[in-house]
Amino acid sequence: MSPLKNFGYRTAESGYRLYIELIDLLRCPRDHEESWLVAAFHKMEGRFVIEGRLGCPLCSGSYEISGGIAYLRDATASDSPSLEPGQSRETEDEAMRIAAMLGLIKPAAVAVLVGMDADIAGEVSELSNARIVSLNSTSVQSRERENVAAVMSGARFPFAAASVDGVMLERGSSASVVAECVRVLRTGGRLVADASLSLAGNLRELARDERYVVAEFTGPLLSLTR
Ligand SMILES: [Zn+2]
């Protein structure tokens, strides 16, 4: 019997339901190295996911779970479910891509979004359950979000060394800003930046597309390594 047999099933009352454990086995359908997917659940029934979204941390693909069915194919407008009233699909989609690129799967992960729209930061926090610091945000949140803090600063990041799991930089960030990222990132933390940014030696490129490069911080450079 297939071990997957009980993961998703159908009942007359509720339609399909996706067993939450299956999420660990799902992979992005695109042709690249395997990776777990970032998951955000909007509606659950016990251990089953009815509505949600999956994001690929490698290619930033964003996939819907709708009516208990995981649509692991490149999304088109026609097969996407409707969202809550007032919630913009573009905002949620962009937020999921950011959460995926930042690899925010750890409970209570902390990420810093630099110079971005505050509502995107709010969406990222809700999709990932991460705590988000909206640093030097370009706007004010349109509604209160428990897991988003707004911080304003100058060139230096006002955070402890090795304290954050991910940083997303705005376009046009300088090399000194990248050095700040390296200082505040934990080993294994991620930097997401404009694709034109050149990466330092302890930032290992994981993925890139025409807009963004995703890198992992491999830890402080030590003389004994390599
Ligand atoms: Zn992918």
Side-chain angles (χ1 to χ4, degrees):
M1 183 167 72
S2 160
L4 297 183
K5 191 157 178 127
N6 295 320
F7 277 137
Y9 67 88
R10 188 170 191 194
T11 65
E13 309 83 52
S14 63
Y16 289 98
R17 307 199 293 175
L18 185 70
Y19 189 52
I20 192 169
E21 309 288 331
L22 179 63
I23 304 292
D24 288 342
L25 305 187
L26 294 177
R27 294 293 180 269
C28 179
R30 294 183 185 158
D31 184 21
H32 56 59
E33 191 185 328
E34 270 198 14
S35 168
W36 37 259
L37 299 172
V38 177
F41 306 131
H42 301 320
K43 183 182 171 197
M44 294 199 63
E45 287 173 7
R47 301 290 293 162
F48 296 90
V49 183
I50 311 302
E51 306 291 335
R53 188 175 279 268
L54 300 167
C56 174
L58 295 184
C59 71
S60 79
S62 177
Y63 307 102
E64 304 277 0
I65 301 170
S66 175
I69 299 169
Y71 292 92
L72 286 162
R73 58 190 187 207
D74 285 335
T76 60
S78 60
D79 64 24
S80 299
S82 59
L83 295 169
E84 313 270 316
Q87 189 178 23
S88 139
R89 170 169 306 287
E90 291 72 36
T91 301
E92 191 188 56
D93 211 50
E94 178 70 2
M96 192 60 189
R97 287 175 200 283
I98 292 169
M101 288 189 290
L102 287 169
L104 299 176
I105 48 158
K106 218 173 70 171
V110 177
V112 179
L113 305 189
V114 183
M116 296 194 66
D117 181 272
D119 282 323
I120 295 268
E123 286 292 322
V124 173
S125 76
E126 293 200 351
L127 288 168
S128 63
N129 294 316
R131 287 177 293 171
I132 302 295
V133 179
S134 188
L135 183 66
N136 301 332
S137 178
T138 54
S139 64
V140 173
Q141 286 189 103
S142 57
R143 65 187 177 93
E144 191 185 328
R145 314 256 193 176
E146 206 177 319
N147 283 328
V148 179
V151 174
M152 306 301 280
S153 79
R156 188 173 169 85
F157 284 4
F159 309 115
S163 66
V164 307
D165 302 290
V167 182
M168 178 151 186
L169 291 179
E170 62 194 320
R171 233 167 234 281
S173 295
S174 66
S176 63
V177 171
V178 176
E180 281 293 277
C181 294
V182 163
R183 182 178 64 78
V184 302
L185 279 172
R186 291 186 176 126
T187 298
R190 287 192 175 188
L191 172 66
V192 178
D194 188 83
S196 64
L197 194 81
S198 57
L199 299 170
N202 47 356
L203 288 168
R204 184 171 69 95
E205 182 175 319
L206 296 176
R208 70 164 60 238
D209 64 14
E210 64 281 0
R211 288 175 66 193
Y212 298 115
V213 59
V214 181
E216 180 183 57
F217 178 52
T218 56
L221 293 173
L222 301 172
S223 55
L224 292 178
T225 59
R226 297 185 196 167

